[in-house]
Amino acid sequence: MSSQTPADFTVGDIVHLTIGQLLMAKDNPRRGKEKEADPVLIGSIRSCGLLQNLGVRPSEKSTGKFEVKYGSRRHAALKALLKEGHFSKDDTFSCRIASADPADWEEEQIAENIARKAMNPVDEYEAFARLVIKGLTPEEIAVRFGADVRAVKQRLALGQAAPCVRKALRAEDITLDVAKIFAGCPDLARQERVFKEIAKNGHFGAHAVKRKLHEEALSDRDDIVKFVTLDAYKEAGGVTEVDLFDGETRLLNVELVYRLREKKLNRQAQRLTEEGWSWVEAHEGYSYQLTNGFDRLYGKLVEKTPDELAEIDAIEKEMEALNQEEGDGDDEAYWDRYESLEERLTDLQTGERVFSDDQKSVSGCILYPRGEGVEVVHGLVRKQDRKKVAALKKAQGPDAKEGGDKLGDDYSGVDLEGEGDGSGGPEYGVGLSGDLSVFKAQTLQAAIAMDPATAILAHQFMLVYRIFKQPHYYWPSGCEFSAKPADLRVGNGDLGETTAAAILDRQEGAVRTDIFTAIDWHDAWAAFRTLSDTERGELVALAIARTIEPMSGSGSFMALVASELDIDPRAYWKPTADNFFARIKKDQMICFLEETVGAEEAKRLSKDGKAKKADLVDLCEGLINDNTPSNAKARERLDQWLPAIMAFPAPERPEPDDWMDDEDDSDFDASDFEDAVDEVEEGTPTHGIGAEDDAVAA
């Protein structure tokens, strides 16, 4: 072949050449020279050989040599394999004679690069799976194909996806990201059920798929898990599963997580009670409504110890040094250190306050999770205790202020008597109260989603109110205005089995969320503008509905909206053994029986109050489900009954000055109020935990 000239070859001929006969053409369309050969391509050729011919032309200058017109990456990979000894200098490779006209072979090369289609992920999985059957490990497969071991494992993990999911991925009906979410769920039956539901009612958005697949699990990234800690959960026997694709750990025993949270909070609540506080409330998280409506007493500020002052000085110096370093914005270690120092400095500078026994006797505490610890708000005064505080101040005389006792009223004036929601109903446990608040919120979500006019009106009001209302520190509350979907979860019961959940799912399938499948928001905006007023209204209503948070109080703006909608919560939620009856006391169940079937019948059914709790739970659920006979009047009451905190009463109008009418407050100093407000603004509260939160979500 060495004596042949370019004229001796015909375009399209296949010739077999050694690596030594190949030269890189200076006019190869790939102008940029890569520093190293592609490891993935090296692995592929090492495993399967050269699958695609190089495009070559006989060299005009070097007899017996051929210039590579296209296929430069394959050429580089062949040279790398020759260097490592995989090929010898005598091995030959198929090459195709390219046209002498640069326009022709440039077109062929460009077409080869642009038209090349990546292998379907399902095909890759099946190819890798066949190699595993032959006995190769993921590590060996990765070496063969020059791929990352994790990438190989992820492709193999697609085998955990249900057949219907893999079929949709092969047909490009779903994206690879969506398929990964399905494959991360080990329950094939659940995968198939969710796939069919979404295929029938909506589109395969990653968020919707993940929410439906894992609505009964918690993530190690959730705040509640950070508070409980993954270690504590595992020590208690909790089961986890790890998502191969994103490393997320899911906690499958949700009820255990909620029990651990309740136990940790109650432990702190017990400590505060033993310290002598008049009352203590534990809540599941922070919310502005939490301390809204309370007056507040402030203890005496404790002077800093020499060690604390020295620590403050050391932290300030280290932070100043870090500022001078001007750490890289991507340097996580730098920013983690800076933020930890900043948080510690804030704690030290805030200072500790000591409360007298008298102050503790007329005020209480609210506590809630904060990171892995507990945040406590001390010295809160309920409306019914204001006269006691006034009497205490009067007894202490005009110098009381010097002792650190300051009484201030939160300007919102929300009445938080009783369970913190104004219901006046029986006291439920922390866990049950939180769950009920979630069910209650879900109820309002469903109602709002079906009422675009109210949703849009509320949205418009919040927008203009937040722009034009002064002062800025008091906003309408009850939903996330920043357009972040509220994360509704319950410790017991199935949030996905309520009537409210069915309504929300139906609406999500009916509205035009398909316009957001486009990656580019420009396209989504263009599509949004083309929607009809009705379509746009339905979409906005569902979006607003999805922001509604658990409702543990009655003082929020969304609580006011709910009261005006005249919602019947029982049309969206009903009490069951799991979500309610098994979680209340025997006397509370007997109270339920008396309210619904009457005192005499309640006495008979409960065996004069001596029935076992398990039997009472079954009895109450049977009555609600109409499985236990009852008369017409009792049936009507049963169909209407719900926990008081699940109702949507109209919030009281704030009356921040009503406590000033008492004669005992004649010595009130306006500066007390101003100082208190200044200090109140530094802190922030949370909503209630447990059953109340679940009820509110429904």
Side-chain angles (χ1 to χ4, degrees):
M1 186 178 294
S2 60
S3 61
Q4 292 178 296
T5 65
D8 296 326
F9 295 97
T10 303
V11 174
D13 284 351
I14 301 297
V15 294
H16 298 278
L17 307 172
T18 65
I19 297 176
Q21 291 179 279
L22 298 173
L23 303 172
M24 177 57 67
K26 293 182 179 180
D27 50 5
N28 185 288
R30 282 191 182 270
R31 302 294 184 186
K33 292 185 179 180
E34 300 181 23
K35 294 182 179 179
E36 297 180 359
D38 186 343
V40 175
L41 193 53
I42 291 174
S44 174
I45 296 175
R46 183 192 295 116
S47 177
C48 305
L50 184 64
L51 301 179
Q52 193 170 10
N53 300 330
L54 302 176
V56 300
R57 284 291 301 170
S59 174
E60 299 280 358
K61 298 180 180 179
S62 302
T63 305
K65 303 288 186 178
F66 290 77
E67 295 180 352
V68 178
K69 297 299 185 180
Y70 53 87
S72 58
R73 292 173 62 249
R74 280 164 278 162
H75 180 215
L78 289 173
K79 290 198 295 183
L81 288 167
L82 174 64
K83 186 176 181 180
E84 74 174 37
H86 184 77
F87 293 130
S88 74
K89 63 180 182 179
D90 296 324
D91 287 329
T92 60
F93 303 92
S94 296
C95 301
R96 180 180 181 275
I97 300 298
S99 170
D101 186 350
D104 291 339
W105 56 257
E106 280 189 1
E107 184 177 342
E108 291 177 13
Q109 194 271 355
I110 293 171
E112 181 183 80
N113 285 320
I114 294 177
R116 181 188 297 125
K117 186 175 183 180
M119 191 174 184
N120 187 283
V122 179
D123 294 331
E124 290 182 354
Y125 150 68
E126 292 176 347
F128 289 164
R130 286 193 292 271
L131 293 176
V132 170
I133 293 173
K134 291 180 180 179
L136 272 67
T137 66
E139 289 75 15
E140 290 170 332
I141 294 173
V143 171
R144 271 199 172 198
F145 291 93
D148 180 72
V149 176
R150 180 176 172 81
V152 173
K153 289 182 176 180
Q154 287 183 344
R155 281 296 182 269
L156 288 170
L158 286 177
Q160 299 174 26
C164 56
V165 175
R166 294 203 302 270
K167 181 180 179 181
L169 178 59
R170 190 192 298 277
E172 299 183 356
D173 292 333
I174 62 175
T175 65
L176 178 58
D177 286 340
V178 168
K180 288 179 180 179
I181 295 172
F182 274 108
C185 174
D187 189 337
L188 287 178
R190 195 194 320 163
Q191 286 190 47
E192 291 175 350
R193 173 177 58 80
V194 171
F195 183 89
K196 290 176 182 178
E197 285 180 4
I198 298 179
K200 180 180 179 181
N201 300 319
H203 74 282
F204 289 93
H207 174 74
V209 171
K210 191 167 188 177
R211 177 171 54 82
K212 285 184 175 294
L213 276 174
H214 305 302
E215 58 190 0
E216 297 178 3
L218 292 167
S219 167
D220 60 344
R221 300 163 188 172
D222 291 334
D223 288 340
I224 185 174
V225 176
K226 294 176 183 176
F227 174 67
V228 169
T229 75
L230 190 57
D231 289 341
Y233 171 79
K234 290 180 178 179
E235 288 175 7
V239 179
T240 63
E241 62 181 25
V242 179
D243 193 310
L244 176 64
F245 294 100
D246 63 7
E248 177 186 24
T249 299
R250 286 187 288 272
L251 290 71
L252 306 184
N253 304 107
V254 176
E255 184 177 351
L256 174 60
V257 176
Y258 281 79
R259 285 204 307 270
L260 291 172
R261 178 185 66 180
E262 187 170 352
K263 183 179 179 180
K264 189 171 181 178
L265 287 172
N266 286 341
R267 192 161 54 240
Q268 294 296 322
Q270 180 63 31
R271 178 185 61 79
L272 292 166
T273 300
E274 292 172 355
E275 289 179 3
W277 292 98
S278 174
W279 54 270
V280 179
E281 287 183 8
H283 291 258
E284 69 171 358
Y286 169 78
S287 164
Y288 174 75
Q289 303 171 51
L290 195 61
T291 56
N292 193 15
F294 288 100
D295 301 338
R296 191 167 181 184
L297 298 176
Y298 292 86
K300 187 175 182 180
L301 196 61
V302 178
E303 292 185 6
K304 299 285 188 296
T305 66
D307 288 343
E308 288 174 331
L309 292 172
E311 186 179 358
I312 290 175
D313 184 57
I315 290 175
E316 289 177 339
K317 288 179 178 177
E318 185 175 352
M319 291 179 67
E320 184 178 354
L322 288 172
N323 281 326
Q324 291 176 353
E325 288 180 21
E326 297 183 354
D328 185 352
D330 295 328
D331 187 347
E332 292 187 11
Y334 172 92
W335 289 111
D336 286 346
R337 177 59 181 164
Y338 192 91
E339 289 173 4
S340 66
L341 289 170
E342 194 172 42
E343 184 174 346
R344 176 58 181 159
L345 183 62
T346 299
D347 290 340
L348 286 169
Q349 291 176 336
T350 299
E352 179 185 357
R353 291 181 179 271
V354 176
F355 292 81
S356 68
D357 291 341
D358 285 339
Q359 288 177 315
K360 292 178 182 178
S361 70
V362 296
S363 63
C365 305
I366 282 178
L367 61 143
Y368 54 89
R370 181 186 179 191
E372 294 186 11
V374 176
E375 184 78 10
V376 181
V377 184
H378 301 86
L380 297 172
V381 180
R382 297 177 298 193
K383 186 175 182 180
Q384 62 264 40
D385 294 326
R386 286 170 175 168
K387 289 186 177 180
K388 296 178 183 178
V389 174
L392 177 62
K393 286 190 66 177
K394 190 171 184 178
Q396 290 174 337
D399 296 331
K401 184 175 179 180
E402 297 177 6
D405 296 351
K406 293 194 278 186
L407 173 63
D409 189 1
D410 192 302
Y411 41 79
S412 71
V414 177
D415 185 358
L416 295 181
E417 295 182 19
E419 267 301 291
D421 64 348
S423 67
E427 295 185 2
Y428 299 123
V430 170
L432 177 58
S433 298
D435 284 359
L436 290 176
S437 74
V438 175
F439 282 121
K440 186 175 180 181
Q442 189 188 46
T443 292
L444 181 55
Q445 284 190 354
I448 288 289
M450 298 295 289
D451 192 342
T454 299
I456 294 171
L457 191 65
H459 178 265
Q460 292 171 337
F461 170 74
M462 286 188 289
L463 172 63
V464 298
Y465 191 95
R466 291 187 177 212
I467 295 298
F468 300 112
K469 171 64 178 176
Q470 298 293 335
H472 289 303
Y473 48 71
Y474 181 54
W475 305 128
S477 56
C479 69
E480 288 281 354
F481 184 72
S482 59
K484 174 185 176 183
D487 187 13
L488 301 187
R489 296 176 183 269
V490 293
N492 290 74
D494 191 341
L495 196 61
E497 294 299 322
T498 63
T499 305
I503 292 173
L504 289 167
D505 285 344
R506 186 171 64 246
Q507 282 299 101
E508 189 160 330
V511 301
R512 291 294 307 281
T513 54
D514 60 291
I515 68 172
F516 302 114
T517 56
I519 297 177
D520 192 335
W521 60 263
H522 295 85
D523 295 336
W525 167 241
F528 184 74
R529 292 179 61 187
T530 63
L531 298 180
S532 67
D533 290 344
T534 299
E535 290 174 324
R536 201 155 43 236
E538 291 174 345
L539 195 58
V540 170
L542 181 62
I544 293 295
R546 286 297 190 191
T547 69
I548 296 173
E549 301 173 306
M551 306 174 67
S552 57
S554 60
S556 72
F557 169 64
M558 292 311 297
L560 174 62
V561 174
S563 70
E564 294 174 347
L565 289 176
D566 194 23
I567 299 171
D568 174 14
R570 276 299 300 274
Y572 301 90
W573 174 88
K574 69 178 181 179
T576 66
D578 288 340
N579 69 28
F580 187 72
F581 292 116
R583 306 172 67 187
I584 62 176
K585 301 172 184 177
K586 279 183 62 176
D587 59 348
Q588 291 174 325
M589 281 188 278
I590 292 173
C591 181
F592 159 78
L593 293 173
E594 292 174 345
E595 292 178 8
T596 54
V597 300
E600 289 300 319
E601 184 67 1
K603 188 175 181 180
R604 182 185 72 81
L605 293 173
S606 67
K607 299 178 182 179
D608 203 16
K610 297 178 181 178
K612 294 181 179 179
K613 181 175 180 179
D615 294 334
L616 283 176
V617 170
D618 292 340
L619 171 65
C620 293
E621 185 175 51
L623 286 166
I624 287 291
N625 292 333
D626 203 12
N627 296 331
T628 302
S630 58
N631 60 47
K633 288 186 178 180
R635 182 72 260 154
E636 183 178 356
R637 290 193 292 268
L638 285 163
D639 290 341
Q640 295 175 352
W641 189 92
L642 76 159
I645 62 174
M646 285 287 290
F648 293 102
E652 294 183 10
R653 181 179 293 276
E655 297 179 11
D657 298 324
D658 62 356
W659 59 276
M660 295 179 62
D661 296 335
D662 294 326
E663 293 181 1
D664 290 337
D665 290 327
S666 57
D667 60 346
F668 170 73
D669 187 344
S671 65
D672 288 355
F673 175 81
E674 294 168 359
D675 292 343
V677 169
D678 288 342
E679 299 197 38
V680 165
E681 288 181 287
E682 296 175 3
T684 1
T686 93
H687 51 253
I689 247 181
E692 290 180 3
D693 287 349
D694 287 1
V696 177

